[in-house]
Structures are given as structure tokens and as C-alpha cells.
Amino acid sequence: MGRKHRQEEEEEEEEEDDDEEYDEDDYDEEDDDEEYDEEEDEDDDEEEDGEEDEEEEGVALEEEEDEDGEALEPGGYALERFENPAAISPHLICALCEKVLCDPVDLPSGHTLCRGCIYAELPKSKNEAVILSQFSDLPLTRAMLRPAHPLLTLMIGDMKIKCDFVENGCQDIVSLRDLSSHLEVCLRAPLQCPHCDWNGVRLQWNLHSSTCADFPVACDLCGITVVRKDVLEHQEKGDCPKFEIPCPRECGQKVARGDLEEHMNTVCGQRIIECPIPGCGVKMVQVRMPEHMKECAEAHVDLLLDVVKEQASALEETRGVLAKVMAVAEMIEKNDEDEDDEDDDDDGDDDDDDDDDDDDGDDDDEEEGEGEEDGREKDMRQLQKTLKELKVKRKKRRDEEDEEDEEDEEGDDDE
């Protein structure tokens, strides 16, 4: 009985444990239901937010497509270009091209593909949908694509890859994020000369550019850019202003083409100049002028003496006029002093004389004042007459000089 009783108790305990486990399972199911509802709400919110952001993201992706058309070409990075292809995670490989992801984007189904690969499968219109059954049974558009997680992008960027131009001899291995920068300076990158048919690599470019006949270069004289094969023609027969050419007057000098006009007008020994001696009037080439100065030295002395005499005569006339002006000025000053003295004497006489005498004195003063004014007017007339005579003499002398110059010019023309 005791053994049977214990057995019954154990069965009851087992049943109680099963009930408790069942209750716990129910509780867990309720929690799962609540979590599922919360997840559904979050998904709805995310879908609403996603619908608002889809157009912006789609526009951004399309803008990237327009700006960098090469990046949208289907296909990622070949596995054999990496250091250890076997160690590459399957999560980093595109399901379409089976290569390492290039510019990865996420699909709503959770797949990650190369942007160029998925774009090749979708219509260009961002809202036109297609069904890609290998990924999802739901319609898919470009606007529904989203950039991959940043961590995935960092992992791909850290991978080491061989240069694109390994076939040209480049042995460099760089991180994937630095590949584009390396390609811009890679010495094995293929290049084509824009001025001729040459094709080569960047390593050979400096040598080619320094010898290419069709390459534009700066003239070593004037700096104007011309084609290398036309440099000599530009300098010798063209318009290089710094190239030296012989003077067309055969003076024996070489001058820059741009300075030729100034040389011919101011420096050239074969230019025609006039003798510097006043009154000579001889004209000849500049190199013969010293010989003319020696041969005609006596005649030049006579001409210079005539000039000195004319200047001395004019100076004497000027001195005479100046002396007359000074004399007139002294006379006027003296008359002013005499008037002052007479005014003082008249004031003393007025104090002693009677009223009748004052009247007579006033009449005398008026007569004397009128006489002095007549004297001043006479002096001024004399001064004006003298100045007028001087002007007439100067004008006459100038007319004579002009006539002589005209006669000299007519003689030169006759010669």
C-alpha cells in the first residue's frame, strides 16, 4: 500500500509539472504573439516611412547612375583578382554575376546585389515593376532598392585586390576603396595621345610627349603655343615677335621682329636724318652724318656765329626795351614822390592863409594836378609805343626766318 501510495504521489507530481510547463508554454506563446504584433506595427511604420523615402532614394540612385555610367555596368569584381579567393564570404558575392559585390544595394527580400547587375534586370523607369522569381514573388522597382548596410560596404572596401592593369605589368595590390585612386596614377594604365595615333602606358607618356611632332609646345622665344613640328616655321617665317631678323635697310644689325619698327625709326644707321646745325638743312643717312660734320665744320661755325649774333641782337633789343620800361617806372615813381611833397606843402599854407587865399590855392592845386596827370598819360603813351615797336621788329624778324626756311626747303626739293 505504501509503495502504491508513493507511486500515485509521483504521478500527481508529474501531472502538476506538466501543467506548469503547459502554462509556461501558453505564457511564452502570448509573449510571442505580443512581440509579433509589435513587429507588425513596426513593419507598418517602416513601410510608411519607406514609401515616403523610396522616391528620394530612387532619385539618388538614378542620379548616381547619370553621374557615373561606368559603375552601372553589370558585374562585380572577379574572385581571382583577390589575394585569397577561397576565403571570401558568400555574403560578399552577388547572386547574379557571382562576383564580389560592386556598389551593393539591398532588395526588400533581404538579398544584396551589385547595383549594376540589378539595374540591368529592372526597367529604367523607377516605378515600373517586374517580378524576379529567383528573389521574390513580389513586384520589384528601382525605387524600392536601398543602399547596403555601411558595415558591408566597409568590409568590401578593406579587401585587397590586384590592379586592373595587371596584364600590362602592374604588380600593385591595394584595398578596394583605394583602387580608383591608384588607377588614376598607375604607371601601367593605358593612354592614347590626343594629338596623334600613339597608344601606350603612362610610364611611356613623358618620353612620347617630349618627342611627338603633333604635340603643342610653347615657343622658346615668345612663349606662344604652336605645334612642335611648326616651331621653326613660326620663328623664321611666321609671326614670332622675338625672332631676330636682319634690318631691311642693310644696316648690319639683327633685331627682334617686334622691335623692327622702333629700330628703323630711332636706331638704324641707314635712316635719313637732318643736320642738327641750325640753318644747314642737309639731310642724309645717319652713318654719313659724322663725315658731313667734319667736312662742313667751317660752314657750321659761320652758321652758329650768325645764330649767336641774332640772339645777341635780340638780347640787346630786349635790354633796350627793358631800360626804357625801367626809366618810365622811375619817372612815375618820382612823380608820385613829388606829389606827396606838394601835398604836404599845401597843407601848411592852408593853416596860415585866410579863407580867400584858400580858394585861390585850391584853384592852383587843381591846375597842378591836371598837369601831373597829363605827364603820366604822356609817359604811358611813350611806353606803349616802345612796346609796339618791339613787337613789330620781332614779327619782322620771324617773317624773315620763315622765308629763309622756305627757300632752303625749295632748294632741297630741287636737289
Side-chain angles (χ1 to χ4, degrees):
M1 291 290 294
R3 198 180 282 177
K4 184 178 179 181
H5 181 69
R6 281 196 304 273
Q7 188 174 1
E8 290 176 355
E9 289 179 352
E10 289 176 357
E11 290 177 356
E12 290 178 357
E13 290 177 357
E14 289 177 359
E15 289 177 358
E16 290 177 357
D17 293 336
D18 291 338
D19 294 338
E20 291 177 357
E21 289 178 358
Y22 179 77
D23 293 338
E24 290 177 357
D25 292 338
D26 291 341
Y27 181 75
D28 293 337
E29 289 179 357
E30 292 177 357
D31 292 341
D32 292 339
D33 292 338
E34 292 178 358
E35 291 178 356
Y36 180 75
D37 293 337
E38 291 177 357
E39 289 177 357
E40 285 185 347
D41 295 337
E42 291 177 357
D43 292 338
D44 293 338
D45 294 337
E46 290 178 357
E47 287 179 0
E48 291 177 358
D49 296 337
E51 289 176 356
E52 295 177 356
D53 298 337
E54 273 177 0
E55 292 186 0
E56 296 179 357
E57 293 171 356
V59 170
L61 290 172
E62 289 187 359
E63 287 177 355
E64 292 176 359
E65 178 187 6
D66 294 337
E67 292 176 357
D68 189 5
E70 295 182 0
L72 297 181
E73 292 182 0
Y77 301 99
L79 299 179
E80 58 269 17
R81 292 184 59 186
F82 295 88
E83 289 183 326
N84 189 5
I88 297 176
S89 171
H91 300 292
L92 304 180
I93 298 177
C94 175
L96 290 175
C97 65
E98 297 182 353
K99 298 178 181 179
V100 174
L101 291 165
C102 175
D103 196 5
V105 293
D106 288 341
L107 276 64
S109 60
H111 296 84
T112 302
L113 304 173
C114 298
R115 184 160 62 103
C117 293
I118 188 61
Y119 268 36
E121 302 293 330
L122 298 176
K124 291 185 178 180
S125 175
K126 66 179 181 179
N127 294 319
E128 187 175 352
V130 295
I131 296 177
L132 302 178
S133 58
Q134 65 268 42
F135 303 116
S136 175
D137 294 334
L138 299 176
L140 181 65
T141 66
R142 290 192 178 190
M144 298 170 66
L145 301 177
R146 298 183 181 180
H149 195 282
L151 183 59
L152 179 65
T153 304
L154 290 175
M155 292 175 62
I156 296 174
D158 290 336
M159 298 176 68
K160 299 296 182 180
I161 188 172
K162 297 177 183 178
C163 176
D164 289 3
F165 311 120
V166 63
E167 295 181 356
N168 293 344
C170 181
Q171 301 298 323
D172 292 343
I173 297 177
V174 297
S175 60
L176 194 54
R177 70 168 54 90
D178 297 332
L179 179 61
S180 59
S181 300
H182 167 74
L183 296 179
E184 292 178 357
V185 297
C186 179
L187 297 178
R188 298 293 177 176
L191 294 178
Q192 181 177 0
C193 180
H195 309 290
C196 67
D197 297 333
W198 177 86
N199 290 306
V201 296
R202 184 175 282 115
L203 183 63
Q204 304 166 340
W205 174 251
N206 289 337
L207 177 60
H208 170 75
S209 62
S210 62
T211 56
C212 177
D214 297 323
F215 204 85
V217 296
C219 174
D220 55 354
L221 298 178
C222 64
I224 296 176
T225 301
V226 294
V227 178
R228 179 178 279 114
K229 63 184 179 182
D230 297 335
V231 170
L232 292 178
E233 183 178 358
H234 160 73
Q235 293 178 349
E236 296 177 359
K237 301 179 182 179
D239 55 352
C240 179
K242 298 297 183 181
F243 185 76
E244 292 187 350
I245 58 176
C247 175
R249 290 176 177 165
E250 299 180 354
C251 70
Q253 293 187 9
K254 285 188 174 182
V255 294
R257 184 180 283 112
D259 300 333
L260 182 60
E261 183 177 356
E262 181 181 0
H263 164 79
M264 296 180 68
N265 293 332
T266 60
V267 181
C268 180
Q270 294 296 326
R271 74 186 190 280
I272 303 299
I273 61 174
E274 186 177 354
C275 178
I277 302 301
C280 180
V282 175
K283 295 181 180 180
M284 61 179 58
V285 294
Q286 190 268 340
V287 293
R288 293 182 55 192
M289 186 56 65
E291 182 181 353
H292 165 74
M293 297 295 288
K294 290 180 181 180
E295 293 177 353
C296 302
E298 295 181 1
H300 288 167
V301 171
D302 293 338
L303 291 173
L304 292 175
L305 288 175
D306 292 340
V307 172
V308 171
K309 289 178 181 178
E310 290 178 1
Q311 293 178 350
S313 177
L315 182 60
E316 288 296 330
E317 290 180 3
T318 304
R319 286 179 177 174
V321 174
L322 182 61
K324 292 179 180 181
V325 172
M326 294 297 294
V328 172
E330 290 178 358
M331 291 173 60
I332 294 173
E333 184 178 359
K334 186 176 180 181
N335 291 333
D336 291 339
E337 291 177 356
D338 293 341
E339 286 181 2
D340 294 337
D341 294 338
E342 290 176 358
D343 290 339
D344 294 337
D345 294 338
D346 292 340
D347 292 338
D349 294 337
D350 290 339
D351 293 335
D352 297 333
D353 294 338
D354 297 329
D355 295 335
D356 295 335
D357 294 335
D358 290 339
D359 295 334
D360 296 335
D362 292 337
D363 296 334
D364 295 335
D365 291 339
E366 289 178 359
E367 292 176 357
E368 290 178 359
E370 291 177 357
E372 290 174 359
E373 289 179 359
D374 293 339
R376 286 185 183 178
E377 290 179 359
K378 184 178 180 180
D379 294 336
M380 291 300 295
R381 285 195 296 271
Q382 182 65 29
L383 177 60
Q384 291 176 357
K385 182 179 180 182
T386 304
L387 293 175
K388 187 174 182 181
E389 292 176 355
L390 179 60
K391 288 181 181 179
V392 172
K393 290 181 180 179
R394 287 184 178 178
K395 185 177 180 182
K396 184 177 180 182
R397 188 184 306 111
R398 289 174 184 171
D399 294 339
E400 292 175 355
E401 291 177 354
D402 293 339
E403 291 177 358
E404 292 177 358
D405 293 338
E406 290 177 358
E407 292 176 357
D408 293 338
E409 290 178 358
E410 291 177 357
D412 294 337
D413 294 337
D414 295 338
E415 291 177 1

